[in-house]
mmCIF file of all heavy atoms in Angstrom:
data_model
loop_
_atom_site.group_PDB
_atom_site.id
_atom_site.type_symbol
_atom_site.label_atom_id
_atom_site.label_comp_id
_atom_site.label_asym_id
_atom_site.label_seq_id
_atom_site.Cartn_x
_atom_site.Cartn_y
_atom_site.Cartn_z
ATOM 1 N N ALA A 83 50.613 131.784 99.724
ATOM 2 C CA ALA A 83 51.913 131.146 99.406
ATOM 3 C C ALA A 83 51.492 129.653 99.024
ATOM 4 O O ALA A 83 50.357 129.232 99.252
ATOM 5 C CB ALA A 83 52.787 131.088 100.658
ATOM 6 N N SER A 84 52.430 129.025 98.260
ATOM 7 C CA SER A 84 52.093 127.670 97.847
ATOM 8 C C SER A 84 52.172 126.602 98.943
ATOM 9 O O SER A 84 51.541 125.583 98.865
ATOM 10 C CB SER A 84 53.158 127.217 96.735
ATOM 11 O OG SER A 84 54.407 127.348 97.226
ATOM 12 N N GLY A 85 52.852 126.927 100.019
ATOM 13 C CA GLY A 85 52.949 126.032 101.204
ATOM 14 C C GLY A 85 52.166 126.561 102.377
ATOM 15 O O GLY A 85 52.186 127.819 102.698
ATOM 16 N N THR A 86 51.528 125.680 103.061
ATOM 17 C CA THR A 86 50.571 126.242 104.189
ATOM 18 C C THR A 86 51.372 126.783 105.331
ATOM 19 O O THR A 86 51.001 127.846 105.888
ATOM 20 C CB THR A 86 49.788 124.913 104.698
ATOM 21 O OG1 THR A 86 49.065 124.376 103.620
ATOM 22 C CG2 THR A 86 48.849 125.411 105.812
ATOM 23 N N THR A 87 52.468 126.175 105.696
ATOM 24 C CA THR A 87 53.273 126.774 106.748
ATOM 25 C C THR A 87 53.750 128.184 106.429
ATOM 26 O O THR A 87 53.656 129.122 107.225
ATOM 27 C CB THR A 87 54.526 125.865 107.013
ATOM 28 O OG1 THR A 87 54.066 124.589 107.460
ATOM 29 C CG2 THR A 87 55.335 126.534 108.163
ATOM 30 N N GLU A 88 54.250 128.409 105.229
ATOM 31 C CA GLU A 88 54.674 129.686 104.846
ATOM 32 C C GLU A 88 53.500 130.720 104.783
ATOM 33 O O GLU A 88 53.601 131.769 105.225
ATOM 34 C CB GLU A 88 55.328 129.618 103.453
ATOM 35 C CG GLU A 88 55.869 130.970 102.962
ATOM 36 C CD GLU A 88 56.408 130.912 101.505
ATOM 37 O OE1 GLU A 88 56.270 129.914 100.895
ATOM 38 O OE2 GLU A 88 56.996 131.927 101.144
ATOM 39 N N ALA A 89 52.352 130.230 104.293
ATOM 40 C CA ALA A 89 51.210 131.158 104.232
ATOM 41 C C ALA A 89 50.836 131.579 105.625
ATOM 42 O O ALA A 89 50.265 132.664 105.893
ATOM 43 C CB ALA A 89 50.061 130.423 103.467
ATOM 44 N N ILE A 90 50.822 130.625 106.596
ATOM 45 C CA ILE A 90 50.477 130.942 107.992
ATOM 46 C C ILE A 90 51.402 132.015 108.547
ATOM 47 O O ILE A 90 50.995 132.980 109.147
ATOM 48 C CB ILE A 90 50.565 129.716 108.838
ATOM 49 C CG1 ILE A 90 49.306 128.804 108.444
ATOM 50 C CG2 ILE A 90 50.449 130.069 110.366
ATOM 51 C CD1 ILE A 90 49.340 127.389 109.113
ATOM 52 N N ASP A 91 52.690 131.777 108.257
ATOM 53 C CA ASP A 91 53.766 132.795 108.798
ATOM 54 C C ASP A 91 53.461 134.206 108.235
ATOM 55 O O ASP A 91 53.439 135.201 108.840
ATOM 56 C CB ASP A 91 55.134 132.347 108.485
ATOM 57 C CG ASP A 91 55.554 131.165 109.192
ATOM 58 O OD1 ASP A 91 55.045 130.892 110.293
ATOM 59 O OD2 ASP A 91 56.504 130.475 108.732
ATOM 60 N N ILE A 92 53.123 134.224 106.896
ATOM 61 C CA ILE A 92 52.841 135.486 106.257
ATOM 62 C C ILE A 92 51.559 136.192 106.755
ATOM 63 O O ILE A 92 51.527 137.354 106.987
ATOM 64 C CB ILE A 92 52.859 135.314 104.673
ATOM 65 C CG1 ILE A 92 54.171 134.903 104.116
ATOM 66 C CG2 ILE A 92 52.295 136.543 104.029
ATOM 67 C CD1 ILE A 92 54.131 134.435 102.735
ATOM 68 N N ALA A 93 50.625 135.347 107.037
ATOM 69 C CA ALA A 93 49.290 135.796 107.559
ATOM 70 C C ALA A 93 49.508 136.381 108.937
ATOM 71 O O ALA A 93 49.038 137.420 109.291
ATOM 72 C CB ALA A 93 48.293 134.639 107.638
ATOM 73 N N ILE A 94 50.291 135.719 109.840
ATOM 74 C CA ILE A 94 50.634 136.140 111.175
ATOM 75 C C ILE A 94 51.381 137.558 111.122
ATOM 76 O O ILE A 94 51.072 138.502 111.817
ATOM 77 C CB ILE A 94 51.388 135.210 111.941
ATOM 78 C CG1 ILE A 94 50.479 133.968 112.269
ATOM 79 C CG2 ILE A 94 51.908 135.774 113.278
ATOM 80 C CD1 ILE A 94 51.214 132.822 112.926
ATOM 81 N N ASP A 95 52.334 137.632 110.105
ATOM 82 C CA ASP A 95 53.065 138.820 109.998
ATOM 83 C C ASP A 95 52.083 140.036 109.639
ATOM 84 O O ASP A 95 52.182 141.060 110.150
ATOM 85 C CB ASP A 95 54.095 138.762 108.875
ATOM 86 C CG ASP A 95 55.270 137.952 109.220
ATOM 87 O OD1 ASP A 95 55.498 137.690 110.430
ATOM 88 O OD2 ASP A 95 56.052 137.463 108.315
#
Side-chain angles (χ1 to χ4, degrees):
S84 58
T86 303
T87 300
E88 182 183 7
I90 289 172
D91 290 339
I92 294 169
I94 292 173
D95 286 345

